[in-house]
Amino acid sequence: MQRAGNGFNKDYFGGALMFLLGLGAMVKGRTYPVGTLSLMGPGFFPVALGAILALVGLAIAVRARFAGLEGEEKALPPEWRGWSCICISIVAFVVLGKHGGLLPATFAIVFISALADRQNTIVSATVLALAIMVVCIVVFWWALQMQFPLFGWG
């Protein structure tokens, strides 16, 4: 944990930022009808995620605030491979989702994101992407019957 100039570590500020973003999502989500668990409104999901984000952020900030000064770590260099793979995978999902359908977009985002981890191989990334494609078929196409075609050309 690296300390900032005033004695707090970076986790404190990160947790506080997560807490504030969660509160913001909850406040904005409350402007829509929230509904109930059995009949969810459009504001239910943002309020629920905002509450979870705020609680996690609060836990991180409290833990970091009361953490001892003993375990200072050296800052690691940026992981450019991870950043670039994740950003490229998001772009690939958007492009392939629009022009190729759910399955090619899902395969691309999972496969490319899995390659962000240096310990993953092409085979393990492929197996993971294929497994997630099966999950997408079951959840989004069969169970939820979303109007997102599995394959699309153009």
Side-chain angles (χ1 to χ4, degrees):
M1 269 184 282
Q2 263 198 332
R3 299 278 165 189
N6 60 1
F8 293 113
N9 65 33
K10 291 180 182 180
D11 288 345
Y12 177 76
F13 293 111
L17 179 62
M18 286 176 60
F19 178 75
L20 291 175
L21 287 173
L23 282 181
M26 287 171 47
V27 168
K28 182 63 178 172
R30 294 284 300 163
T31 62
Y32 299 106
V34 176
T36 63
L37 278 175
S38 61
L39 187 61
M40 295 179 198
F44 187 87
F45 196 66
V47 170
L49 284 182
I52 292 168
L53 183 64
L55 289 174
V56 169
L58 185 64
I60 290 171
V62 167
R63 183 172 181 260
R65 177 67 177 107
F66 295 111
L69 296 172
E70 66 276 354
E72 295 202 19
E73 298 174 4
K74 182 181 174 188
L76 298 174
E79 189 64 47
W80 294 112
R81 176 179 172 161
W83 279 95
S84 59
C85 282
I86 291 172
C87 291
I88 291 168
S89 72
I90 293 169
V91 171
F93 181 82
V94 170
V95 170
L96 288 173
K98 181 174 176 128
H99 300 291
L102 178 64
L103 293 182
T106 301
F107 182 86
I109 195 168
V110 175
F111 180 78
I112 297 169
S113 295
L115 293 178
D117 184 0
R118 294 185 190 279
Q119 296 176 350
N120 277 345
T121 63
I122 290 178
V123 173
S124 65
T126 302
V127 169
L128 178 64
L130 291 173
I132 296 299
M133 284 174 60
V134 170
V135 170
C136 279
I137 290 172
V138 170
V139 171
F140 296 113
W141 188 70
W142 180 73
L144 296 176
Q145 297 179 354
M146 287 185 60
Q147 299 298 315
F148 195 166
L150 294 179
F151 292 99
W153 313 113

